[in-house]
């Protein structure tokens, strides 16, 4: 007699943004797992027109024919009833957007598993990708862990790290970590099923623990008193959201990209000048003074206008040099 293959492990997937999509797609393709249900945030207005849009995770789930629920809170009675009815072996959580209560965490037969975009306990919280770039970290990565009631405090299953490129942006790092997290999650589930992996507690050394709170639009305000290096990290980390900005002539001016330099042309923080006739002209046509060094914006967007490279922006705003920003 031949042995019958084990039934695929039942998975309920909880996630919302694009970061969660590679993990959901990989689970849908993995023969050892069956995604029996998806939980995602309710449809919300987004974009310039503020039209109601479904989450990226919902779009993938509906295309795959997987049932979807969108409770305001996953511990609502109706949501709990549906979660239990799905009888999951695993609850997989990837950037869902809410801290889960014990009643939800207790539902899966084997474990609730989270994919987090940092090397825990470094950068617990909602915005680890941006925090790693802003802090100047040389490495980051992804962690899979067993979920508990705390904020990213559960025992670790697997971790994988990658270097942070010197010109890394929030978007480019997101695009590297999302598929890495998907692979790590599938390995974690397979090895849990095989009994070949055991969770281990996170270090409790306060010196190793850091937090990355949720981002707000006002976090994008540029402090020109900071060094050019710090401002550069800020601009790159917050690309594409929430973006970084300053003010010019009473209007919001987005700084979409740029480069720092150690030159000292005698500018005060926030003061704008042209680089024509200087060594900095090879980098960009504009330079802004900072608390240490200078920042050369290469792409800007004035409120109500289209994004422009620095040369085009200067042609349309000849009075920009000599201004004090912020």
């Amino acid at each position: 007699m031949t042995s019958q293959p084990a039934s695929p492990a039942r998975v309920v997937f909880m996630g919302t943004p694009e970061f969660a999509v590679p993990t959901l797609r990989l689970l849908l393709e993995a023969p050892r797992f069956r995604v029996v249900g998806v939980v995602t945030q309710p449809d919300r207005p987004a974009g310039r027109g503020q039209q109601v849009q479904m989450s990226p995770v919902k779009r993938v789930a509906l295309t795959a024919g997987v049932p979807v629920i969108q409770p305001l809170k996953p511990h609502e009675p109706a949501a709990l009833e549906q979660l239990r009815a799905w009888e999951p072996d695993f609850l997989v959580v990837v950037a869902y957007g809410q801290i889960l209560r014990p009643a939800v965490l207790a539902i899966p037969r084997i474990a609730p598993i989270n994919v987090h975009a940092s090397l825990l306990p470094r950068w617990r919280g909602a915005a680890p990708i941006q925090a790693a770039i802003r802090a100047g970290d040389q490495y980051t990565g992804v962690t899979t862990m067993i979920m508990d009631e705390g904020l990213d405090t559960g025992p670790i299953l697997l971790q994988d790290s990658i270097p942070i490129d010197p010109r890394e942006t929030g978007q480019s790092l997101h695009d590297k970590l999302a598929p890495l997290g998907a692979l790590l999650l599938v390995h974690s589930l397979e090895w849990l099923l095989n009994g070949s992996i055991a969770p281990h507690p996170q270090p409790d050394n306060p010196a190793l623990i850091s937090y990355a709170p949720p981002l707000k639009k006002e976090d994008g305000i540029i402090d020109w008193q900071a060094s050019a290096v710090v401002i550069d990290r800020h601009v790159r980390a917050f690309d594409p959201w929430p973006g970084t900005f300053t003010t010019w002539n009473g209007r919001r001016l987005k700084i979409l990209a740029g480069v720092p330099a150690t030159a000292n042309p005698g500018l005060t923080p926030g003061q704008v000048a042209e680089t024509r006739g200087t060594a900095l002209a090879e980098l960009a046509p504009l330079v802004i003074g900072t608390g240490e060094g200078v920042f050369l914006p290469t792409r800007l967007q004035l409120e109500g206008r289209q994004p422009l490279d620095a040369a085009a922006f200067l042609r349309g705003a000849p009075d920009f040099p000599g201004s004090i920003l912020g």
Side-chain angles (χ1 to χ4, degrees), residues 179-202:
L180 187 64
L183 287 171
L184 207 67
L185 181 277
V186 170
H187 287 319
S188 298
L189 298 190
E190 289 177 340
W191 293 349
L192 279 170
L193 289 174
N194 295 341
S196 56
I197 187 175
H200 58 276
Q202 294 188 32

Side-chain angles (χ1 to χ4, degrees), residues 134 220-228 230-231 234 245-246 269-270 289-291:
R134 286 198 74 184
I221 298 172
I222 296 173
D223 176 12
W224 296 110
Q225 299 288 339
S227 73
V230 168
I231 291 169
H234 189 186
F245 61 91
T246 186
T290 74

Side-chain angles (χ1 to χ4, degrees), residues 273-288 296 314:
E274 290 189 67
T275 61
R276 185 171 46 192
T278 74
L280 294 172
E282 296 181 2
L283 298 175
L286 292 167
V287 61
I288 304 171
L296 295 99
L314 180 57

Side-chain angles (χ1 to χ4, degrees), residues 109-155:
R109 182 181 66 85
I110 299 175
I113 310 295
N114 176 242
V115 177
H116 186 74
S118 82
L119 298 174
L120 291 171
R122 181 75 166 161
W123 303 125
R124 293 172 176 171
I129 292 175
Q130 294 83 357
I133 296 174
R134 286 198 74 184
D137 291 357
Q138 293 185 326
Y139 289 86
T140 189
V142 288
T143 301
T144 55
M145 63 177 172
I146 305 288
M147 297 184 71
D148 61 15
E149 298 175 43
L151 178 63
D152 302 323
T153 55

Side-chain angles (χ1 to χ4, degrees), residues 20-310:
V21 167
T23 304
L24 176 56
R25 289 191 188 278
L26 200 56
L27 282 170
L28 289 168
E29 297 168 359
R32 292 196 69 181
F33 306 103
R34 178 187 169 202
V35 181
V36 295
V38 165
V39 186
T40 191
Q41 293 286 318
D43 299 349
R44 292 193 171 98
R48 275 190 160 184
Q50 287 295 287
Q51 294 185 343
V52 175
Q53 297 183 16
M54 67 178 69
S55 74
V57 161
K58 181 180 178 180
R59 287 196 296 270
V60 172
L62 292 180
T63 300
V66 178
V68 176
I69 62 172
Q70 298 175 270
L72 289 175
K73 300 290 183 182
H75 55 267
E76 294 173 357
L80 285 175
E81 182 179 356
Q82 180 59 73
L83 285 168
R84 293 184 180 119
W86 279 328
E87 298 182 334
D89 296 301
F90 293 105
L91 193 65
V92 170
V93 183
V94 187
Y96 172 58
Q98 294 187 35
I99 295 177
L100 303 184
R101 293 191 179 181
V104 177
L105 298 176
I107 288 174
R109 182 181 66 85
I110 299 175
I113 310 295
N114 176 242
V115 177
H116 186 74
S118 82
L119 298 174
L120 291 171
R122 181 75 166 161
W123 303 125
R124 293 172 176 171
I129 292 175
Q130 294 83 357
I133 296 174
R134 286 198 74 184
D137 291 357
Q138 293 185 326
Y139 289 86
T140 189
V142 288
T143 301
T144 55
M145 63 177 172
I146 305 288
M147 297 184 71
D148 61 15
E149 298 175 43
L151 178 63
D152 302 323
T153 55
I156 291 170
L157 292 167
L158 294 175
Q159 290 185 312
D160 200 358
S161 65
I162 60 170
I164 297 179
D165 186 87
R167 302 308 303 160
E168 201 84 72
T169 67
Q171 185 66 58
S172 66
L173 190 53
H174 166 284
D175 293 348
K176 293 175 183 178
L177 293 179
L180 187 64
L183 287 171
L184 207 67
L185 181 277
V186 170
H187 287 319
S188 298
L189 298 190
E190 289 177 340
W191 293 349
L192 279 170
L193 289 174
N194 295 341
S196 56
I197 187 175
H200 58 276
Q202 294 188 32
D204 58 4
N205 183 351
L208 301 177
I209 299 170
S210 51
Y211 290 92
L215 296 176
K216 307 179 294 296
K217 284 189 177 181
E218 54 265 34
D219 292 332
I221 298 172
I222 296 173
D223 176 12
W224 296 110
Q225 299 288 339
S227 73
V229 169
V230 168
I231 291 169
D232 175 58
R233 291 175 188 163
H234 189 186
V235 171
R236 290 186 289 107
F238 285 13
D239 174 16
W241 198 91
T244 47
F245 61 91
T246 186
T247 54
W248 176 53
N249 288 344
R251 300 173 71 182
R252 178 172 292 197
L253 175 66
K254 293 182 180 180
I255 306 296
L256 302 176
V259 291
T262 57
N264 182 17
L267 299 175
T268 60
Q271 184 179 2
V272 183
E274 290 189 67
T275 61
R276 185 171 46 192
T278 74
L280 294 172
E282 296 181 2
L283 298 175
L286 292 167
V287 61
I288 304 171
T290 74
E292 181 181 344
V294 293
F295 184 79
L296 295 99
T298 56
R299 192 163 177 79
L300 309 90
Q301 182 179 12
L302 189 60
E303 184 178 358
R305 304 277 184 86
Q306 293 296 313
L308 297 170
D309 64 48

